[in-house]
Amino acid sequence: MSEMLPPDPARLRVILAHLEHQLADHETVGTYLRLQHDAVRAALARAERRAVPRPVISAPKRPPGDRRAPGGGREPGGRPQTGYLVERNSPSDATAGAVIHTAGCAKAPQEARTTEREVARKALADDPRFFTACEHCRPDTELGILD
């Protein structure tokens, strides 16, 4: 293969820059596809759980004066208080990038998708041009990713 390459450094630098750009573009697509894969698996698991008939179990009654919030560790909107969220910058453009939030972030939109810790960490660490950390909740700090 090296016998097919030009001998001068200027053209070799251009070729190298092009190859690095192509690698970065494909890494972005791979990360995006992993996130979509996780979302489809989660939706499939929810659909399969709904398909199985379950006995009706009523919620336990709380004693009078119990002020704990209903929902068992969830915020009022039904979003978990732990974990990470992915907000697409443009729902109509999959190449526009995404913002990673912590699950309790007040700036995360309601339509943001949940994701696992390792997926969020990998997205921020491996593909910082496509995935950015929320400036408000700083998930990169929580995940141990330093700039």
PDB file of all heavy atoms in Angstrom, residues 15-53:
ATOM      1  N   ILE A  15      -3.856  13.718   2.815  1.00  0.00           N
ATOM      2  CA  ILE A  15      -4.467  12.383   2.853  1.00  0.00           C
ATOM      3  C   ILE A  15      -4.736  11.961   4.288  1.00  0.00           C
ATOM      4  O   ILE A  15      -5.815  11.446   4.615  1.00  0.00           O
ATOM      5  CB  ILE A  15      -3.563  11.354   2.130  1.00  0.00           C
ATOM      6  CG1 ILE A  15      -3.530  11.658   0.629  1.00  0.00           C
ATOM      7  CG2 ILE A  15      -4.048   9.926   2.386  1.00  0.00           C
ATOM      8  CD1 ILE A  15      -2.470  10.879  -0.138  1.00  0.00           C
ATOM      9  N   LEU A  16      -3.761  12.193   5.168  1.00  0.00           N
ATOM     10  CA  LEU A  16      -3.923  11.830   6.577  1.00  0.00           C
ATOM     11  C   LEU A  16      -5.080  12.596   7.217  1.00  0.00           C
ATOM     12  O   LEU A  16      -5.894  12.023   7.941  1.00  0.00           O
ATOM     13  CB  LEU A  16      -2.620  12.097   7.339  1.00  0.00           C
ATOM     14  CG  LEU A  16      -2.588  11.666   8.781  1.00  0.00           C
ATOM     15  CD1 LEU A  16      -2.809  10.160   8.903  1.00  0.00           C
ATOM     16  CD2 LEU A  16      -1.256  12.048   9.412  1.00  0.00           C
ATOM     17  N   ALA A  17      -5.185  13.899   6.927  1.00  0.00           N
ATOM     18  CA  ALA A  17      -6.292  14.700   7.476  1.00  0.00           C
ATOM     19  C   ALA A  17      -7.642  14.167   6.987  1.00  0.00           C
ATOM     20  O   ALA A  17      -8.606  14.075   7.766  1.00  0.00           O
ATOM     21  CB  ALA A  17      -6.120  16.168   7.089  1.00  0.00           C
ATOM     22  N   HIS A  18      -7.705  13.806   5.706  1.00  0.00           N
ATOM     23  CA  HIS A  18      -8.952  13.257   5.165  1.00  0.00           C
ATOM     24  C   HIS A  18      -9.318  11.942   5.865  1.00  0.00           C
ATOM     25  O   HIS A  18     -10.477  11.726   6.246  1.00  0.00           O
ATOM     26  CB  HIS A  18      -8.814  13.032   3.658  1.00  0.00           C
ATOM     27  CG  HIS A  18      -9.970  12.313   3.062  1.00  0.00           C
ATOM     28  ND1 HIS A  18     -11.192  12.914   2.851  1.00  0.00           N
ATOM     29  CD2 HIS A  18     -10.118  11.021   2.654  1.00  0.00           C
ATOM     30  CE1 HIS A  18     -12.027  12.038   2.336  1.00  0.00           C
ATOM     31  NE2 HIS A  18     -11.402  10.879   2.207  1.00  0.00           N
ATOM     32  N   LEU A  19      -8.343  11.065   6.040  1.00  0.00           N
ATOM     33  CA  LEU A  19      -8.605   9.781   6.694  1.00  0.00           C
ATOM     34  C   LEU A  19      -9.036   9.973   8.148  1.00  0.00           C
ATOM     35  O   LEU A  19      -9.949   9.292   8.621  1.00  0.00           O
ATOM     36  CB  LEU A  19      -7.368   8.882   6.618  1.00  0.00           C
ATOM     37  CG  LEU A  19      -7.018   8.372   5.218  1.00  0.00           C
ATOM     38  CD1 LEU A  19      -5.686   7.650   5.243  1.00  0.00           C
ATOM     39  CD2 LEU A  19      -8.117   7.479   4.677  1.00  0.00           C
ATOM     40  N   GLU A  20      -8.417  10.902   8.855  1.00  0.00           N
ATOM     41  CA  GLU A  20      -8.803  11.165  10.245  1.00  0.00           C
ATOM     42  C   GLU A  20     -10.227  11.705  10.314  1.00  0.00           C
ATOM     43  O   GLU A  20     -10.990  11.349  11.214  1.00  0.00           O
ATOM     44  CB  GLU A  20      -7.824  12.134  10.896  1.00  0.00           C
ATOM     45  CG  GLU A  20      -6.478  11.491  11.177  1.00  0.00           C
ATOM     46  CD  GLU A  20      -5.421  12.480  11.622  1.00  0.00           C
ATOM     47  OE1 GLU A  20      -5.644  13.711  11.515  1.00  0.00           O
ATOM     48  OE2 GLU A  20      -4.361  12.009  12.079  1.00  0.00           O
ATOM     49  N   HIS A  21     -10.582  12.565   9.351  1.00  0.00           N
ATOM     50  CA  HIS A  21     -11.951  13.095   9.308  1.00  0.00           C
ATOM     51  C   HIS A  21     -12.956  11.972   9.061  1.00  0.00           C
ATOM     52  O   HIS A  21     -14.007  11.900   9.704  1.00  0.00           O
ATOM     53  CB  HIS A  21     -12.052  14.164   8.225  1.00  0.00           C
ATOM     54  CG  HIS A  21     -13.416  14.754   8.101  1.00  0.00           C
ATOM     55  ND1 HIS A  21     -13.925  15.634   9.026  1.00  0.00           N
ATOM     56  CD2 HIS A  21     -14.385  14.582   7.169  1.00  0.00           C
ATOM     57  CE1 HIS A  21     -15.146  15.969   8.672  1.00  0.00           C
ATOM     58  NE2 HIS A  21     -15.454  15.345   7.549  1.00  0.00           N
ATOM     59  N   GLN A  22     -12.642  11.079   8.136  1.00  0.00           N
ATOM     60  CA  GLN A  22     -13.522   9.954   7.853  1.00  0.00           C
ATOM     61  C   GLN A  22     -13.688   9.047   9.078  1.00  0.00           C
ATOM     62  O   GLN A  22     -14.791   8.594   9.379  1.00  0.00           O
ATOM     63  CB  GLN A  22     -12.980   9.131   6.669  1.00  0.00           C
ATOM     64  CG  GLN A  22     -13.063   9.844   5.341  1.00  0.00           C
ATOM     65  CD  GLN A  22     -14.502  10.124   4.936  1.00  0.00           C
ATOM     66  OE1 GLN A  22     -15.348   9.253   5.014  1.00  0.00           O
ATOM     67  NE2 GLN A  22     -14.776  11.349   4.525  1.00  0.00           N
ATOM     68  N   LEU A  23     -12.588   8.792   9.781  1.00  0.00           N
ATOM     69  CA  LEU A  23     -12.667   7.971  10.998  1.00  0.00           C
ATOM     70  C   LEU A  23     -13.562   8.628  12.045  1.00  0.00           C
ATOM     71  O   LEU A  23     -14.375   7.965  12.687  1.00  0.00           O
ATOM     72  CB  LEU A  23     -11.266   7.731  11.572  1.00  0.00           C
ATOM     73  CG  LEU A  23     -10.413   6.725  10.825  1.00  0.00           C
ATOM     74  CD1 LEU A  23      -8.975   6.778  11.329  1.00  0.00           C
ATOM     75  CD2 LEU A  23     -10.977   5.330  10.999  1.00  0.00           C
ATOM     76  N   ALA A  24     -13.412   9.945  12.221  1.00  0.00           N
ATOM     77  CA  ALA A  24     -14.230  10.661  13.208  1.00  0.00           C
ATOM     78  C   ALA A  24     -15.701  10.616  12.813  1.00  0.00           C
ATOM     79  O   ALA A  24     -16.571  10.416  13.667  1.00  0.00           O
ATOM     80  CB  ALA A  24     -13.758  12.105  13.336  1.00  0.00           C
ATOM     81  N   ASP A  25     -16.010  10.788  11.524  1.00  0.00           N
ATOM     82  CA  ASP A  25     -17.401  10.742  11.077  1.00  0.00           C
ATOM     83  C   ASP A  25     -18.020   9.376  11.335  1.00  0.00           C
ATOM     84  O   ASP A  25     -19.153   9.273  11.771  1.00  0.00           O
ATOM     85  CB  ASP A  25     -17.502  11.068   9.590  1.00  0.00           C
ATOM     86  CG  ASP A  25     -17.366  12.555   9.317  1.00  0.00           C
ATOM     87  OD1 ASP A  25     -17.374  13.339  10.287  1.00  0.00           O
ATOM     88  OD2 ASP A  25     -17.239  12.935   8.141  1.00  0.00           O
ATOM     89  N   HIS A  26     -17.291   8.333  11.068  1.00  0.00           N
ATOM     90  CA  HIS A  26     -17.836   6.994  11.265  1.00  0.00           C
ATOM     91  C   HIS A  26     -17.945   6.650  12.746  1.00  0.00           C
ATOM     92  O   HIS A  26     -18.833   5.905  13.143  1.00  0.00           O
ATOM     93  CB  HIS A  26     -17.010   5.957  10.506  1.00  0.00           C
ATOM     94  CG  HIS A  26     -17.170   6.088   9.025  1.00  0.00           C
ATOM     95  ND1 HIS A  26     -18.319   5.750   8.372  1.00  0.00           N
ATOM     96  CD2 HIS A  26     -16.339   6.574   8.075  1.00  0.00           C
ATOM     97  CE1 HIS A  26     -18.198   5.999   7.091  1.00  0.00           C
ATOM     98  NE2 HIS A  26     -17.004   6.507   6.874  1.00  0.00           N
ATOM     99  N   GLU A  27     -17.081   7.207  13.580  1.00  0.00           N
ATOM    100  CA  GLU A  27     -17.185   6.979  15.020  1.00  0.00           C
ATOM    101  C   GLU A  27     -18.458   7.623  15.551  1.00  0.00           C
ATOM    102  O   GLU A  27     -19.158   7.049  16.380  1.00  0.00           O
ATOM    103  CB  GLU A  27     -15.960   7.574  15.731  1.00  0.00           C
ATOM    104  CG  GLU A  27     -15.939   7.311  17.208  1.00  0.00           C
ATOM    105  CD  GLU A  27     -14.683   7.858  17.853  1.00  0.00           C
ATOM    106  OE1 GLU A  27     -13.683   8.070  17.171  1.00  0.00           O
ATOM    107  OE2 GLU A  27     -14.730   8.070  19.071  1.00  0.00           O
ATOM    108  N   THR A  28     -18.774   8.801  15.030  1.00  0.00           N
ATOM    109  CA  THR A  28     -20.001   9.489  15.428  1.00  0.00           C
ATOM    110  C   THR A  28     -21.220   8.646  15.065  1.00  0.00           C
ATOM    111  O   THR A  28     -22.126   8.472  15.873  1.00  0.00           O
ATOM    112  CB  THR A  28     -20.081  10.866  14.730  1.00  0.00           C
ATOM    113  OG1 THR A  28     -18.982  11.647  15.157  1.00  0.00           O
ATOM    114  CG2 THR A  28     -21.383  11.583  15.064  1.00  0.00           C
ATOM    115  N   VAL A  29     -21.241   8.119  13.872  1.00  0.00           N
ATOM    116  CA  VAL A  29     -22.354   7.280  13.436  1.00  0.00           C
ATOM    117  C   VAL A  29     -22.452   6.047  14.327  1.00  0.00           C
ATOM    118  O   VAL A  29     -23.540   5.650  14.750  1.00  0.00           O
ATOM    119  CB  VAL A  29     -22.200   6.883  11.950  1.00  0.00           C
ATOM    120  CG1 VAL A  29     -23.211   5.828  11.550  1.00  0.00           C
ATOM    121  CG2 VAL A  29     -22.341   8.106  11.068  1.00  0.00           C
ATOM    122  N   GLY A  30     -21.305   5.439  14.652  1.00  0.00           N
ATOM    123  CA  GLY A  30     -21.305   4.252  15.517  1.00  0.00           C
ATOM    124  C   GLY A  30     -21.874   4.554  16.882  1.00  0.00           C
ATOM    125  O   GLY A  30     -22.672   3.785  17.427  1.00  0.00           O
ATOM    126  N   THR A  31     -21.484   5.688  17.468  1.00  0.00           N
ATOM    127  CA  THR A  31     -21.992   6.065  18.791  1.00  0.00           C
ATOM    128  C   THR A  31     -23.490   6.327  18.723  1.00  0.00           C
ATOM    129  O   THR A  31     -24.249   5.881  19.583  1.00  0.00           O
ATOM    130  CB  THR A  31     -21.257   7.312  19.312  1.00  0.00           C
ATOM    131  OG1 THR A  31     -19.850   7.029  19.331  1.00  0.00           O
ATOM    132  CG2 THR A  31     -21.718   7.685  20.704  1.00  0.00           C
ATOM    133  N   TYR A  32     -23.934   7.031  17.684  1.00  0.00           N
ATOM    134  CA  TYR A  32     -25.353   7.313  17.516  1.00  0.00           C
ATOM    135  C   TYR A  32     -26.140   6.006  17.371  1.00  0.00           C
ATOM    136  O   TYR A  32     -27.187   5.823  17.988  1.00  0.00           O
ATOM    137  CB  TYR A  32     -25.573   8.209  16.297  1.00  0.00           C
ATOM    138  CG  TYR A  32     -27.028   8.451  15.999  1.00  0.00           C
ATOM    139  CD1 TYR A  32     -27.763   9.348  16.769  1.00  0.00           C
ATOM    140  CD2 TYR A  32     -27.677   7.772  14.983  1.00  0.00           C
ATOM    141  CE1 TYR A  32     -29.103   9.557  16.515  1.00  0.00           C
ATOM    142  CE2 TYR A  32     -29.013   7.977  14.728  1.00  0.00           C
ATOM    143  CZ  TYR A  32     -29.721   8.870  15.486  1.00  0.00           C
ATOM    144  OH  TYR A  32     -31.047   9.069  15.246  1.00  0.00           O
ATOM    145  N   LEU A  33     -25.610   5.088  16.572  1.00  0.00           N
ATOM    146  CA  LEU A  33     -26.301   3.813  16.378  1.00  0.00           C
ATOM    147  C   LEU A  33     -26.358   3.007  17.671  1.00  0.00           C
ATOM    148  O   LEU A  33     -27.356   2.338  17.945  1.00  0.00           O
ATOM    149  CB  LEU A  33     -25.628   3.001  15.269  1.00  0.00           C
ATOM    150  CG  LEU A  33     -25.821   3.554  13.856  1.00  0.00           C
ATOM    151  CD1 LEU A  33     -24.982   2.761  12.866  1.00  0.00           C
ATOM    152  CD2 LEU A  33     -27.281   3.555  13.464  1.00  0.00           C
ATOM    153  N   ARG A  34     -25.305   3.064  18.508  1.00  0.00           N
ATOM    154  CA  ARG A  34     -25.346   2.370  19.804  1.00  0.00           C
ATOM    155  C   ARG A  34     -26.450   2.951  20.682  1.00  0.00           C
ATOM    156  O   ARG A  34     -27.172   2.211  21.356  1.00  0.00           O
ATOM    157  CB  ARG A  34     -23.989   2.471  20.508  1.00  0.00           C
ATOM    158  CG  ARG A  34     -22.963   1.474  19.979  1.00  0.00           C
ATOM    159  CD  ARG A  34     -21.719   1.434  20.838  1.00  0.00           C
ATOM    160  NE  ARG A  34     -20.976   2.686  20.853  1.00  0.00           N
ATOM    161  CZ  ARG A  34     -20.123   3.060  19.907  1.00  0.00           C
ATOM    162  NH1 ARG A  34     -19.902   2.299  18.857  1.00  0.00           N
ATOM    163  NH2 ARG A  34     -19.493   4.205  20.011  1.00  0.00           N
ATOM    164  N   LEU A  35     -26.604   4.285  20.684  1.00  0.00           N
ATOM    165  CA  LEU A  35     -27.671   4.912  21.477  1.00  0.00           C
ATOM    166  C   LEU A  35     -29.047   4.498  20.953  1.00  0.00           C
ATOM    167  O   LEU A  35     -29.951   4.193  21.736  1.00  0.00           O
ATOM    168  CB  LEU A  35     -27.530   6.434  21.460  1.00  0.00           C
ATOM    169  CG  LEU A  35     -26.375   6.985  22.283  1.00  0.00           C
ATOM    170  CD1 LEU A  35     -26.181   8.464  21.988  1.00  0.00           C
ATOM    171  CD2 LEU A  35     -26.612   6.764  23.758  1.00  0.00           C
ATOM    172  N   GLN A  36     -29.213   4.486  19.632  1.00  0.00           N
ATOM    173  CA  GLN A  36     -30.483   4.065  19.055  1.00  0.00           C
ATOM    174  C   GLN A  36     -30.746   2.596  19.368  1.00  0.00           C
ATOM    175  O   GLN A  36     -31.877   2.215  19.669  1.00  0.00           O
ATOM    176  CB  GLN A  36     -30.474   4.291  17.534  1.00  0.00           C
ATOM    177  CG  GLN A  36     -30.509   5.747  17.161  1.00  0.00           C
ATOM    178  CD  GLN A  36     -31.743   6.436  17.682  1.00  0.00           C
ATOM    179  OE1 GLN A  36     -32.856   5.956  17.505  1.00  0.00           O
ATOM    180  NE2 GLN A  36     -31.566   7.559  18.355  1.00  0.00           N
ATOM    181  N   HIS A  37     -29.713   1.776  19.306  1.00  0.00           N
ATOM    182  CA  HIS A  37     -29.821   0.351  19.628  1.00  0.00           C
ATOM    183  C   HIS A  37     -30.328   0.176  21.054  1.00  0.00           C
ATOM    184  O   HIS A  37     -31.242  -0.613  21.312  1.00  0.00           O
ATOM    185  CB  HIS A  37     -28.447  -0.306  19.441  1.00  0.00           C
ATOM    186  CG  HIS A  37     -28.412  -1.750  19.803  1.00  0.00           C
ATOM    187  ND1 HIS A  37     -28.023  -2.177  21.055  1.00  0.00           N
ATOM    188  CD2 HIS A  37     -28.707  -2.852  19.093  1.00  0.00           C
ATOM    189  CE1 HIS A  37     -28.090  -3.491  21.089  1.00  0.00           C
ATOM    190  NE2 HIS A  37     -28.497  -3.942  19.910  1.00  0.00           N
ATOM    191  N   ASP A  38     -29.744   0.937  22.003  1.00  0.00           N
ATOM    192  CA  ASP A  38     -30.179   0.849  23.401  1.00  0.00           C
ATOM    193  C   ASP A  38     -31.641   1.272  23.552  1.00  0.00           C
ATOM    194  O   ASP A  38     -32.397   0.664  24.303  1.00  0.00           O
ATOM    195  CB  ASP A  38     -29.295   1.715  24.300  1.00  0.00           C
ATOM    196  CG  ASP A  38     -27.890   1.165  24.425  1.00  0.00           C
ATOM    197  OD1 ASP A  38     -27.663  -0.009  24.053  1.00  0.00           O
ATOM    198  OD2 ASP A  38     -27.018   1.913  24.902  1.00  0.00           O
ATOM    199  N   ALA A  39     -32.038   2.328  22.818  1.00  0.00           N
ATOM    200  CA  ALA A  39     -33.414   2.810  22.908  1.00  0.00           C
ATOM    201  C   ALA A  39     -34.396   1.764  22.366  1.00  0.00           C
ATOM    202  O   ALA A  39     -35.460   1.533  22.958  1.00  0.00           O
ATOM    203  CB  ALA A  39     -33.574   4.122  22.135  1.00  0.00           C
ATOM    204  N   VAL A  40     -34.044   1.108  21.277  1.00  0.00           N
ATOM    205  CA  VAL A  40     -34.923   0.086  20.697  1.00  0.00           C
ATOM    206  C   VAL A  40     -35.009  -1.120  21.630  1.00  0.00           C
ATOM    207  O   VAL A  40     -36.090  -1.673  21.841  1.00  0.00           O
ATOM    208  CB  VAL A  40     -34.432  -0.330  19.286  1.00  0.00           C
ATOM    209  CG1 VAL A  40     -35.171  -1.551  18.782  1.00  0.00           C
ATOM    210  CG2 VAL A  40     -34.603   0.833  18.320  1.00  0.00           C
ATOM    211  N   ARG A  41     -33.887  -1.525  22.216  1.00  0.00           N
ATOM    212  CA  ARG A  41     -33.916  -2.657  23.154  1.00  0.00           C
ATOM    213  C   ARG A  41     -34.801  -2.335  24.356  1.00  0.00           C
ATOM    214  O   ARG A  41     -35.560  -3.180  24.824  1.00  0.00           O
ATOM    215  CB  ARG A  41     -32.508  -3.005  23.615  1.00  0.00           C
ATOM    216  CG  ARG A  41     -31.701  -3.697  22.539  1.00  0.00           C
ATOM    217  CD  ARG A  41     -30.422  -4.167  23.099  1.00  0.00           C
ATOM    218  NE  ARG A  41     -30.741  -5.329  23.930  1.00  0.00           N
ATOM    219  CZ  ARG A  41     -29.942  -6.342  24.104  1.00  0.00           C
ATOM    220  NH1 ARG A  41     -28.776  -6.351  23.521  1.00  0.00           N
ATOM    221  NH2 ARG A  41     -30.283  -7.350  24.860  1.00  0.00           N
ATOM    222  N   ALA A  42     -34.699  -1.103  24.877  1.00  0.00           N
ATOM    223  CA  ALA A  42     -35.526  -0.707  26.013  1.00  0.00           C
ATOM    224  C   ALA A  42     -37.006  -0.706  25.630  1.00  0.00           C
ATOM    225  O   ALA A  42     -37.856  -1.169  26.394  1.00  0.00           O
ATOM    226  CB  ALA A  42     -35.106   0.668  26.527  1.00  0.00           C
ATOM    227  N   ALA A  43     -37.330  -0.189  24.437  1.00  0.00           N
ATOM    228  CA  ALA A  43     -38.722  -0.175  23.977  1.00  0.00           C
ATOM    229  C   ALA A  43     -39.242  -1.601  23.789  1.00  0.00           C
ATOM    230  O   ALA A  43     -40.392  -1.902  24.135  1.00  0.00           O
ATOM    231  CB  ALA A  43     -38.839   0.610  22.668  1.00  0.00           C
ATOM    232  N   LEU A  44     -38.407  -2.480  23.265  1.00  0.00           N
ATOM    233  CA  LEU A  44     -38.794  -3.878  23.085  1.00  0.00           C
ATOM    234  C   LEU A  44     -39.066  -4.537  24.434  1.00  0.00           C
ATOM    235  O   LEU A  44     -40.066  -5.246  24.603  1.00  0.00           O
ATOM    236  CB  LEU A  44     -37.704  -4.641  22.329  1.00  0.00           C
ATOM    237  CG  LEU A  44     -37.938  -6.138  22.141  1.00  0.00           C
ATOM    238  CD1 LEU A  44     -39.205  -6.392  21.348  1.00  0.00           C
ATOM    239  CD2 LEU A  44     -36.733  -6.770  21.462  1.00  0.00           C
ATOM    240  N   ALA A  45     -38.207  -4.281  25.401  1.00  0.00           N
ATOM    241  CA  ALA A  45     -38.408  -4.862  26.733  1.00  0.00           C
ATOM    242  C   ALA A  45     -39.716  -4.358  27.347  1.00  0.00           C
ATOM    243  O   ALA A  45     -40.471  -5.138  27.936  1.00  0.00           O
ATOM    244  CB  ALA A  45     -37.228  -4.523  27.641  1.00  0.00           C
ATOM    245  N   ARG A  46     -40.010  -3.046  27.185  1.00  0.00           N
ATOM    246  CA  ARG A  46     -41.273  -2.503  27.706  1.00  0.00           C
ATOM    247  C   ARG A  46     -42.463  -3.146  27.004  1.00  0.00           C
ATOM    248  O   ARG A  46     -43.451  -3.510  27.645  1.00  0.00           O
ATOM    249  CB  ARG A  46     -41.313  -0.988  27.526  1.00  0.00           C
ATOM    250  CG  ARG A  46     -40.478  -0.228  28.521  1.00  0.00           C
ATOM    251  CD  ARG A  46     -40.775   1.267  28.489  1.00  0.00           C
ATOM    252  NE  ARG A  46     -40.598   1.850  27.172  1.00  0.00           N
ATOM    253  CZ  ARG A  46     -39.454   2.326  26.697  1.00  0.00           C
ATOM    254  NH1 ARG A  46     -38.372   2.285  27.449  1.00  0.00           N
ATOM    255  NH2 ARG A  46     -39.377   2.840  25.489  1.00  0.00           N
ATOM    256  N   ALA A  47     -42.371  -3.302  25.684  1.00  0.00           N
ATOM    257  CA  ALA A  47     -43.476  -3.902  24.924  1.00  0.00           C
ATOM    258  C   ALA A  47     -43.690  -5.353  25.329  1.00  0.00           C
ATOM    259  O   ALA A  47     -44.832  -5.802  25.461  1.00  0.00           O
ATOM    260  CB  ALA A  47     -43.187  -3.805  23.424  1.00  0.00           C
ATOM    261  N   GLU A  48     -42.617  -6.082  25.547  1.00  0.00           N
ATOM    262  CA  GLU A  48     -42.750  -7.481  25.957  1.00  0.00           C
ATOM    263  C   GLU A  48     -43.325  -7.594  27.363  1.00  0.00           C
ATOM    264  O   GLU A  48     -44.100  -8.495  27.651  1.00  0.00           O
ATOM    265  CB  GLU A  48     -41.394  -8.183  25.863  1.00  0.00           C
ATOM    266  CG  GLU A  48     -40.968  -8.436  24.429  1.00  0.00           C
ATOM    267  CD  GLU A  48     -39.566  -8.985  24.313  1.00  0.00           C
ATOM    268  OE1 GLU A  48     -38.765  -8.861  25.271  1.00  0.00           O
ATOM    269  OE2 GLU A  48     -39.260  -9.540  23.237  1.00  0.00           O
ATOM    270  N   ARG A  49     -42.970  -6.663  28.247  1.00  0.00           N
ATOM    271  CA  ARG A  49     -43.537  -6.674  29.604  1.00  0.00           C
ATOM    272  C   ARG A  49     -45.037  -6.387  29.560  1.00  0.00           C
ATOM    273  O   ARG A  49     -45.811  -6.959  30.310  1.00  0.00           O
ATOM    274  CB  ARG A  49     -42.833  -5.657  30.498  1.00  0.00           C
ATOM    275  CG  ARG A  49     -41.488  -6.125  31.010  1.00  0.00           C
ATOM    276  CD  ARG A  49     -40.986  -5.247  32.128  1.00  0.00           C
ATOM    277  NE  ARG A  49     -40.913  -3.838  31.765  1.00  0.00           N
ATOM    278  CZ  ARG A  49     -39.824  -3.234  31.285  1.00  0.00           C
ATOM    279  NH1 ARG A  49     -38.733  -3.912  31.093  1.00  0.00           N
ATOM    280  NH2 ARG A  49     -39.841  -1.948  31.004  1.00  0.00           N
ATOM    281  N   ARG A  50     -45.447  -5.466  28.673  1.00  0.00           N
ATOM    282  CA  ARG A  50     -46.877  -5.143  28.559  1.00  0.00           C
ATOM    283  C   ARG A  50     -47.661  -6.320  28.001  1.00  0.00           C
ATOM    284  O   ARG A  50     -48.835  -6.477  28.300  1.00  0.00           O
ATOM    285  CB  ARG A  50     -47.067  -3.929  27.649  1.00  0.00           C
ATOM    286  CG  ARG A  50     -46.781  -2.622  28.316  1.00  0.00           C
ATOM    287  CD  ARG A  50     -47.291  -1.463  27.474  1.00  0.00           C
ATOM    288  NE  ARG A  50     -46.730  -1.452  26.134  1.00  0.00           N
ATOM    289  CZ  ARG A  50     -45.698  -0.734  25.738  1.00  0.00           C
ATOM    290  NH1 ARG A  50     -45.087   0.045  26.608  1.00  0.00           N
ATOM    291  NH2 ARG A  50     -45.266  -0.786  24.497  1.00  0.00           N
ATOM    292  N   ALA A  51     -47.019  -7.139  27.175  1.00  0.00           N
ATOM    293  CA  ALA A  51     -47.708  -8.258  26.535  1.00  0.00           C
ATOM    294  C   ALA A  51     -48.001  -9.393  27.511  1.00  0.00           C
ATOM    295  O   ALA A  51     -48.887 -10.200  27.278  1.00  0.00           O
ATOM    296  CB  ALA A  51     -46.882  -8.790  25.368  1.00  0.00           C
ATOM    297  N   VAL A  52     -47.269  -9.449  28.618  1.00  0.00           N
ATOM    298  CA  VAL A  52     -47.469 -10.516  29.603  1.00  0.00           C
ATOM    299  C   VAL A  52     -48.553 -10.068  30.581  1.00  0.00           C
ATOM    300  O   VAL A  52     -48.442  -9.032  31.215  1.00  0.00           O
ATOM    301  CB  VAL A  52     -46.148 -10.792  30.378  1.00  0.00           C
ATOM    302  CG1 VAL A  52     -46.372 -11.806  31.477  1.00  0.00           C
ATOM    303  CG2 VAL A  52     -45.067 -11.243  29.422  1.00  0.00           C
ATOM    304  N   PRO A  53     -49.652 -10.828  30.705  1.00  0.00           N
ATOM    305  CA  PRO A  53     -50.697 -10.440  31.650  1.00  0.00           C
ATOM    306  C   PRO A  53     -50.182 -10.535  33.088  1.00  0.00           C
ATOM    307  O   PRO A  53     -49.497 -11.478  33.453  1.00  0.00           O
ATOM    308  CB  PRO A  53     -51.825 -11.442  31.402  1.00  0.00           C
ATOM    309  CG  PRO A  53     -51.210 -12.565  30.649  1.00  0.00           C
ATOM    310  CD  PRO A  53     -49.969 -12.052  30.000  1.00  0.00           C
TER     311      PRO A  53
END
